[in-house]
């Protein structure tokens, strides 16, 4: 019996909850229907405007038939071209000769400038410094610097003394050149990272 009472109580609560939610759902349905009506009206208006614009554009782009130009008047049979008088013929010949002479003078005046431009030598392009030449220059400078140094020097000191950048790449290049001098017998390593000139250098 208690279980039956509990079941009836749960059913009653559920019915009450559904009754409470029903008005809210009805209100939401009405809101959606109103929104759907507005969207439908908007859609129809957009379709109508699009259709009108398409008809207008197609009418504008349709090529219009060209108007027939005036038909040139036919020359009457037996008509002749009026011949120029001797004075008019001489004037025409004189004008043509003057124009030809002016063109010849202009052409002659332009030729020297073109010949002068062709005769002037083009500026020589700077020759690129080859890597071998850079290495040889660095080697000579290092030998001279080691000969002047009073004590063993490090690669960084030598790089800065030779005016090179204080970067790992520049210092490594100097260190490589110093090792090359050591192998050639023109320098000697007196300690870890220390180099000095030999008597034979």
């Amino acid at each position: 019996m208690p279980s039956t009472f509990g079941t009836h109580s749960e059913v009653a609560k559920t019915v009450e909850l559904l009754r409470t939610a029903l008005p809210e759902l009805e209100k939401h349905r009405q809101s959606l229907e109103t929104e759907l009506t507005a969207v439908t009206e908007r859609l129809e208006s957009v379709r109508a405007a699009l259709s009108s614009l398409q008809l207008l554009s197609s009418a504008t782009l349709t090529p219009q038939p060209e108007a027939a130009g005036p038909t040139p008047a036919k020359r009457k049979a037996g008509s002749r071209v009026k011949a120029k008088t001797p004075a008019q013929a001489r004037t025409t010949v004189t004008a043509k000769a003057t124009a030809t002479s002016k063109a010849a003078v202009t052409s002659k005046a332009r030729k020297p400038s073109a010949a002068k431009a062709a005769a002037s030598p083009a500026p020589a392009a700077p020759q690129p410094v080859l890597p071998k030449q850079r290495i040889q220059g660095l080697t000579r400078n290092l030998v001279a610097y080691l000969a002047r140094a009073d004590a063993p020097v490090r690669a960084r000191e030598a790089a800065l003394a030779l005016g090179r950048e204080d970067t790992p790449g520049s210092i490594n290049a100097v260190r490589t050149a110093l090792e090359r001098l050591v192998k050639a017998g023109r320098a000697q390593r007196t300690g870890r990272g220390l180099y000095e000139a030999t008597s034979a250098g």
Side-chain angles (χ1 to χ4, degrees), residues 33-197:
E33 287 179 352
T34 304
E35 186 176 354
L36 178 60
T37 303
V39 171
T40 303
E41 292 177 356
R42 176 66 176 169
L43 178 62
E44 293 299 328
S45 63
V46 169
R47 284 178 177 173
L50 180 60
S51 177
S52 300
L53 289 176
Q54 287 177 345
L55 291 176
L56 181 62
S57 63
S58 62
T60 304
L61 295 178
T62 302
Q64 299 295 331
E66 297 182 357
T71 305
K74 294 183 179 180
R75 184 177 300 172
K76 292 183 179 180
S79 63
R80 296 181 180 178
V81 178
K82 188 177 179 181
K84 292 182 179 179
T85 62
Q88 291 175 344
R90 284 196 299 270
T91 304
T92 305
V93 172
T94 305
K96 290 182 178 180
T98 304
T100 304
S101 61
K102 285 183 179 180
V105 170
T106 306
S107 177
K108 289 181 180 179
R110 290 177 180 174
K111 283 182 180 179
S113 60
K116 185 177 180 180
S120 59
Q127 296 295 330
V129 180
L130 300 176
K132 186 176 181 180
Q133 295 175 352
R134 289 199 298 267
I135 294 173
Q136 292 177 351
L138 176 60
T139 302
R140 287 194 297 269
N141 293 336
L142 282 175
V143 171
Y145 174 69
L146 291 177
R148 295 192 305 268
D150 298 331
V153 298
R154 298 184 178 276
R156 184 172 182 274
E157 298 174 8
L160 296 178
L162 296 179
R164 298 176 67 87
E165 297 180 357
D166 188 9
T167 59
S170 178
I171 296 173
N172 287 336
V174 173
R175 183 178 294 108
T176 302
L178 288 170
E179 291 294 334
R180 193 178 294 110
L181 289 175
V182 170
K183 291 180 180 179
R186 305 179 66 183
Q188 60 184 358
R189 192 186 303 106
T190 59
R192 185 175 182 181
L194 295 174
Y195 303 89
E196 67 177 3

